[in-house]
Structure formats: C-alpha cells, structure tokens
Amino acid sequence: VAILGLEVRRDRLRLLGECGLSSDARAVLGSGGECQWDIPLRGLRNRRISVITAAHQNPFVPRALVNVSVRGLSIASLPIYSDQEPTGVLLLFATGNRAFPDAQLQTLSQALRVCARGLRDQDSTAARPGAAARDTAAIAAAIAELAGETAPGGPVPDATVVPPPVAEQPADEHVQRLEQTLAQVREELERTAVKLRT
C-alpha cells in the first residue's frame, strides 16, 4: 500500500506513507520529492480507478515498482477526493495472481472519503510533520491489514513514515482534528472490512 498526497501548488504527487515497499519503490513514488510515475496523477485528474493487471509486463510501470514482486504484480490506483477536490491517490499492490474485485475497490473508494479530510489539510499539518506522517502511515497499515496482508493487530512489515522536511511547531487544534479524522478512518475501515468479509 502507498498513499500519495497532491501538492496543489506544484501539481504533483508526493509519497506520504506506505506499507511493504522497498526504498527504490518509495523513491519512485516521491519520498524524496515528486512522484516519477504519471499514471496515478492522470487517474486523479480523470477521476478514474485504474487497475493494471500483469504490471510486471507493462512497460509504463517503473522497474522499481515491478521489483516489489518477482512472482507477478497487479496495481490498483484509487483517486481520493474531499468535497470534489482532488487530494491524493491510494496505490494497492497485489502479488502473484491476485486480483482486485470491483466490489472491494468500490467499497474502499467510499472509505477513502474519510481519509481525504486528513490529506486535504496536509499543507497545514506541516506544523507537526512527525505526527501527521505517523497518521498517514497508520492509515496505510490499516488498509494493508484490511487487504489481508497483515494479521489484525499484528506487526506491520516495513511500515515507513515519510515526514515532510519542515520544522516542528505547536498546533494543538490541528492535532485534535487529525486525531478525530484518524479515528473516523479506522471506524470506516472496520466497517469496510466487515462488508468485505461477508
């Protein structure tokens, strides 16, 4: 799982949090700056969920992402909107012959509306970069758990926080708002998990 945030002023995506990716894959997705892969941004602009089956055979998928799984790879790109405003992209990676059922993607897309509230305020959360990045990494870990990649409540493999390079300043009101948003995201993901299991 990877969560990319939209930097509106620069019209680019940047990696905010991920679970299970290599350092090369993180770099391609913008951990050090701009996301170098254009498909997620195009999907966000076109308001479309994109699914790339056999991504390991697709010449438009960066090699660093293909290397996530030597046994084959599928990638789903889900745009995230807050009140019709684009805020980011969720990338899901399925290894081997696994696929993304339409019902799962649609349900997850609905749940992402809650996540969008936190991503929308990412510029103003720069005042507390460590905590904001931890929130995003927690969301990524919860989505990975929902997808069945980790055991519920268990340790998350290689969950990485990518904090923005900004000096820390106090922002109590923002802390409370983000904590409420994270709690809502967890509740929504739990409801989604129950739906998917049934």
Side-chain angles (χ1 to χ4, degrees):
V1 175
I3 298 176
L4 309 177
L6 177 65
E7 293 183 342
V8 178
R9 295 186 191 99
R10 298 184 179 181
D11 191 33
R12 70 179 190 177
L13 292 172
R14 179 173 53 89
L15 182 66
L16 299 180
E18 58 83 30
C19 181
L21 297 183
S22 67
S23 58
D24 288 344
R26 289 194 292 268
V28 166
L29 294 177
S31 65
E34 183 176 359
C35 176
Q36 300 169 21
W37 190 31
D38 65 339
I39 288 179
L41 185 56
R42 285 194 315 203
L44 182 62
R45 288 175 179 153
N46 297 330
R47 298 179 176 269
R48 290 192 175 183
I49 294 175
S50 303
V51 178
I52 303 172
T53 55
H56 55 291
Q57 298 173 349
N58 190 314
F60 299 106
V61 177
R63 183 58 41 194
L65 297 182
V66 170
N67 291 340
V68 167
S69 173
V70 295
R71 298 174 295 129
L73 184 71
S74 294
I75 303 173
S77 175
L78 290 81
I80 305 172
Y81 292 90
S82 176
D83 298 327
Q84 304 303 315
E85 291 295 319
T87 57
V89 174
L90 171 70
L91 293 177
L92 299 175
F93 300 86
T95 59
N97 295 323
R98 295 176 61 189
F100 300 104
D102 288 344
Q104 183 184 39
L105 293 178
Q106 291 298 333
T107 304
L108 192 51
S109 181
Q110 295 300 316
L112 290 175
R113 292 181 180 182
V114 181
C115 302
R117 297 174 198 158
L119 295 180
R120 177 184 56 198
D121 296 331
Q122 67 176 328
D123 288 338
S124 54
T125 60
R128 47 184 295 275
R134 281 193 302 276
D135 291 345
T136 307
I139 291 170
I143 292 171
E145 182 179 308
L146 173 65
E149 293 299 321
T150 59
V156 177
D158 195 20
T160 301
V161 172
V162 186
V166 181
E168 191 165 344
Q169 300 169 1
D172 292 338
E173 183 180 329
H174 226 66
V175 170
Q176 292 173 347
R177 209 164 58 223
L178 275 177
E179 286 173 350
Q180 290 171 351
T181 299
L182 184 58
Q184 290 174 334
V185 168
R186 287 184 174 144
E187 288 174 14
E188 189 67 31
L189 287 174
E190 273 302 311
R191 286 195 291 271
T192 302
V194 170
K195 287 181 185 176
L196 290 174
R197 287 184 192 117
T198 56

